[in-house]
Amino acid sequence: LGLPACRPPGRPPTVLLLQRPRRALGNLEQVVAQLKEMGLRPEVQVMEADVPFAVQARFWSEADLVLTVHGSGLTSQLWLPPHACVVELFGPGFLNSLYIQLAMSRGLCYFPLVTFSELTAIDCMLSHDWQYAIAPAICTAVTRA
């Protein structure tokens, strides 16, 4: 696939923010602005079913930090460089250890982040239409860890 082994010298760290049609950051613009203020390079990618595999692998392989809502797309962390970190967002009252195990098997840095919503955990699970908002201060804490 010709994937890069590490970040090019002088390039700021890349934060991959994955958006999917039914699982997304509701305050994406605010989070992107905060990351830019911190001198990071946010890359927003919308992962639709028709995005070619090689393109998805390249997005992941160039990321230093991935911020995404829980879902099967996290299997792509297999393509992350060894220094990368994953932040997995969960809905209220929901936590799943599947992707932390994958991250640990690769030696990646991993942070689970349980978000809050006016909906109950069961409402979120039943709808599968997850729109989360995170405080920009979380970005600061996670990227400095």
Side-chain angles (χ1 to χ4, degrees):
L1 291 173
L3 302 176
C6 61
R7 180 175 69 239
R11 190 191 82 195
T14 298
V15 180
L16 178 60
L17 298 134
L18 293 179
Q19 297 284 88
R20 293 188 298 270
R22 296 179 62 157
R23 295 184 185 188
L25 280 172
N27 66 334
L28 179 66
E29 295 80 18
Q30 187 180 13
V31 170
V32 166
Q34 176 70 26
L35 293 169
K36 285 180 179 177
E37 284 178 24
M38 296 169 56
L40 301 173
R41 193 176 137 215
E43 293 284 335
V44 177
Q45 297 298 334
V46 177
M47 288 297 171
E48 300 278 355
D50 61 347
V51 176
F53 172 76
V55 172
Q56 292 182 44
R58 179 156 308 280
F59 291 152
W60 284 82
S61 71
E62 295 174 350
D64 300 297
L65 172 68
V66 175
L67 180 62
T68 188
V69 175
H70 169 78
S72 61
L74 277 160
T75 56
S76 295
Q77 65 182 291
L78 290 168
W79 305 113
L80 286 172
H83 68 274
C85 185
V86 176
V87 178
E88 181 177 7
L89 303 174
F90 293 97
F94 177 68
L95 193 61
N96 183 303
S97 65
L98 178 62
Y99 300 112
I100 189 174
Q101 293 173 5
L102 181 56
M104 288 175 60
S105 73
R106 298 238 12 257
L108 300 172
C109 171
Y110 175 92
F111 293 96
L113 182 60
V114 178
T115 60
F116 295 94
S117 169
E118 293 178 8
L119 299 175
T120 65
I122 195 69
D123 289 335
C124 289
M125 292 302 293
L126 292 175
S127 75
H128 284 280
D129 189 12
W130 300 350
Q131 293 287 319
Y132 299 135
I134 61 171
I138 294 293
C139 298
T140 303
V142 168
T143 56
R144 295 192 198 287

